[in-house]
């Protein structure tokens, strides 16, 4: 299997000169489910956000499917989906609009059938006409997952996908992660639950 993600000697210091990443090197193979574990503040989100262009790293290189995330950022981002740790959604729009809008941002043509399947997979179909502000925390997290998958990415980052999700839905979320992996996506996730990492990756 080829490497879908190649990270070489990445360093990141924040503007207050705090060093969050020091010489990180890591390869992830296509088809893997890979878990990043570590205590609060270990640098998991900093790493994921550096890969996805949300954080500017200071040195080193990151390639997604051979595309440099800085030089070839358009290509790299088109094949990448991220579910960020922080909930950030348009609260006054509906689930349906939010997810379809995300797909449009990546320049992909409309595909209502695909978005319908996605919302069904995430148990959100009956909420498609609800406004985001009317959803529970766990439902909002699942909308974030749907948004991240709206443009059919090959490489998916899930930063604590099951935070604030109840025990039953956590198991369902694992099933979703496995189903996406089976369909050919590579998954990188962070978690504080050792059993989640053991179960999935
Ligand atoms: N914008 C910022 N400015 C300064 N320091 C920051 C900033 N963002 C994060 N840090 C610091 O970088 C370190 C790594 O943070 P990061 O969010 O990557 O950790 P994490 O492993 O994702 O933690 P958690 O498990 O709590 O999500 C922490 O010490 C944090 O305080
Ligand atoms: Mg984090």
């Amino acid at each position: 299997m080829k490497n879908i993600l190649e990270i070489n000697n990445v360093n990141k210091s924040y503007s207050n000169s705090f060093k969050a990443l020091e010489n990180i090197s890591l390869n992830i193979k296509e088809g893997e489910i890979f878990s990043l574990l570590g205590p609060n503040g270990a640098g998991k989100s900093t790493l994921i956000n550096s890969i996805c262009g949300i954080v500017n790293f200071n040195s080193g290189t990151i390639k997604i499917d051979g595309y440099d995330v800085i030089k070839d950022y358009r290509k790299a981002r088109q094949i990448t989906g991220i579910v960020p740790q922080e909930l950030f959604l348009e609260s006054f729009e509906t689930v349906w609009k939010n997810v379809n809008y995300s797909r449009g941002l990546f320049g992909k043509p409309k595909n209502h059938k695909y978005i319908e399947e996605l919302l069904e997979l995430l148990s959100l179909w009956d909420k498609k006409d609800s406004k985001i502000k009317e959803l529970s925390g766990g439902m909002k997290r699942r909308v974030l997952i749907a948004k991240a998958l709206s443009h059919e990415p090959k490489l998916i980052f899930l930063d604590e996908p099951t935070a604030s999700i109840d025990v039953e839905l956590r198991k369902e979320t694992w099933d979703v992660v496995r189903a996406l992996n089976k369909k050919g996506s590579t998954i990188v996730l962070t978690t504080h639950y050792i059993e989640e990492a053991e179960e999935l990756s």
Side-chain angles (χ1 to χ4, degrees):
M1 280 288 186
K2 66 166 179 174
N3 291 330
I4 190 146
L5 179 64
E6 292 181 345
I7 301 172
N8 277 305
N9 294 313
V10 165
N11 287 281
K12 168 64 187 174
S13 296
Y14 283 104
S15 50
N16 59 2
S17 78
F18 181 83
K19 196 156 201 188
L21 299 178
E22 190 165 4
N23 284 326
I24 301 292
S25 295
L26 175 72
N27 290 335
I28 293 181
K29 292 198 160 36
E30 189 155 42
E32 278 194 87
I33 300 181
F34 191 98
S35 296
L36 287 169
L37 285 161
N40 290 133
K44 303 178 298 295
S45 296
T46 302
L47 182 63
I48 285 186
N49 292 341
S50 298
I51 298 166
C52 297
I54 298 166
V55 158
N56 293 315
F57 54 99
N58 304 113
S59 61
T61 58
I62 302 177
K63 285 183 179 174
I64 298 174
D65 210 9
Y67 297 113
D68 187 286
V69 297
I70 299 191
K71 289 189 216 119
D72 305 312
Y73 71 95
R74 276 178 202 279
K75 292 228 165 79
R77 280 183 209 171
Q78 247 174 12
I79 47 182
T80 311
I82 178 170
V83 180
Q85 186 170 7
E86 316 282 322
L87 293 170
F88 182 78
L89 289 158
E90 282 298 331
S91 347
F92 292 94
E93 287 292 0
T94 63
V95 170
W96 180 252
K97 273 203 175 159
N98 256 279
V99 178
N100 278 286
Y101 178 73
S102 284
R103 182 178 171 92
L105 286 181
F106 284 90
K108 287 258 178 174
K110 285 194 179 107
N111 188 340
H112 289 167
K113 187 89 195 73
Y114 173 73
I115 303 296
E116 183 179 334
E117 279 168 17
L118 195 54
L119 294 182
E120 264 165 11
L121 182 72
L122 290 161
S123 314
L124 282 171
W125 183 242
D126 59 330
K127 295 284 176 190
K128 74 175 168 32
D129 298 319
S130 303
K131 293 199 170 93
I132 301 298
K133 65 186 172 89
E134 299 159 1
L135 304 179
S136 75
M139 289 169 190
K140 284 183 194 151
R141 193 158 296 280
R142 281 182 281 137
V143 173
L144 280 180
I145 299 177
K147 277 167 69 89
L149 300 178
S150 64
H151 60 291
E152 300 164 71
K154 283 165 76 169
L155 176 61
I156 302 164
F157 292 91
L158 303 166
D159 198 351
E160 297 191 27
T162 61
S164 81
I165 288 186
D166 69 42
V167 178
E168 199 169 317
L169 272 179
R170 176 166 297 154
K171 298 250 156 76
E172 279 182 27
T173 307
W174 293 353
D175 290 340
V176 170
V177 170
R178 286 197 201 92
L180 292 168
N181 182 245
K182 246 193 174 146
K183 280 212 243 165
S185 299
T186 307
I187 319 259
V188 180
L189 60 96
T190 73
T191 178
H192 288 282
Y193 306 104
I194 188 93
E195 76 276 13
E196 182 161 288
E198 282 176 341
E199 176 75 29
L200 284 173
S201 39

